[in-house]
């Protein structure tokens, strides 16, 4: 049986359609920085352990990325937790 375009829409997950797309600023060019940015966009304020575990990233790499994102004004740190600015 052939699947029509209308059939596809019926089986599409409605929650996935309702999820807004997150825009990564153009100046965030590093793939790892984009990953950190998107993680923060979807998880909210998190601590370093959450970032390391959630992204399977070493803390030393994460520090450099967070520093760059903070200096560019994209990320802020409050009470040991990082969040999008």
């Amino acid at each position: 049986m052939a699947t029509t375009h209308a059939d596809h829409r019926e089986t599409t997950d409605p929650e996935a359609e309702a999820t807004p797309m997150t825009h990564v600023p153009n100046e965030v060019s590093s793939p790892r920085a984009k990953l950190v940015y998107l993680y923060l966009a979807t998880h909210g304020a998190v601590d370093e352990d959450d970032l390391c575990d959630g992204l399977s990233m070493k803390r030393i790499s994460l520090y450099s990325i967070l520093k760059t994102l903070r200096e560019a004004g994209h990320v802020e740190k409050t009470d040991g937790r990082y969040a999008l600015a």
Side-chain angles (χ1 to χ4, degrees):
M1 178 176 171
T3 303
T4 66
H5 187 66
D7 291 336
H8 176 69
R9 276 187 265 145
E10 290 173 15
T11 59
T12 303
D13 180 12
E15 245 182 84
E17 291 179 349
T19 304
M21 295 298 293
T22 300
H23 173 74
V24 178
N26 290 334
E27 59 270 12
V28 179
S29 58
S30 157
R32 288 182 139 197
K34 288 179 183 181
L35 187 63
V36 171
Y37 186 95
L38 290 172
Y39 188 90
L40 292 173
T42 57
H43 290 83
V46 296
D47 63 22
E48 292 169 3
D49 290 333
D50 291 333
L51 283 166
C52 289
D53 293 342
L55 297 173
S56 299
M57 192 178 290
K58 292 183 180 182
R59 194 173 302 267
I60 192 73
S61 299
L62 190 59
Y63 283 145
S64 174
I65 294 165
L66 288 169
K67 179 182 176 193
T68 301
L69 290 172
R70 288 177 69 194
E71 288 174 350
H74 300 301
V75 172
E76 58 189 16
K77 182 179 180 182
T78 306
D79 297 327
R81 298 174 70 81
Y82 293 90
L84 294 183

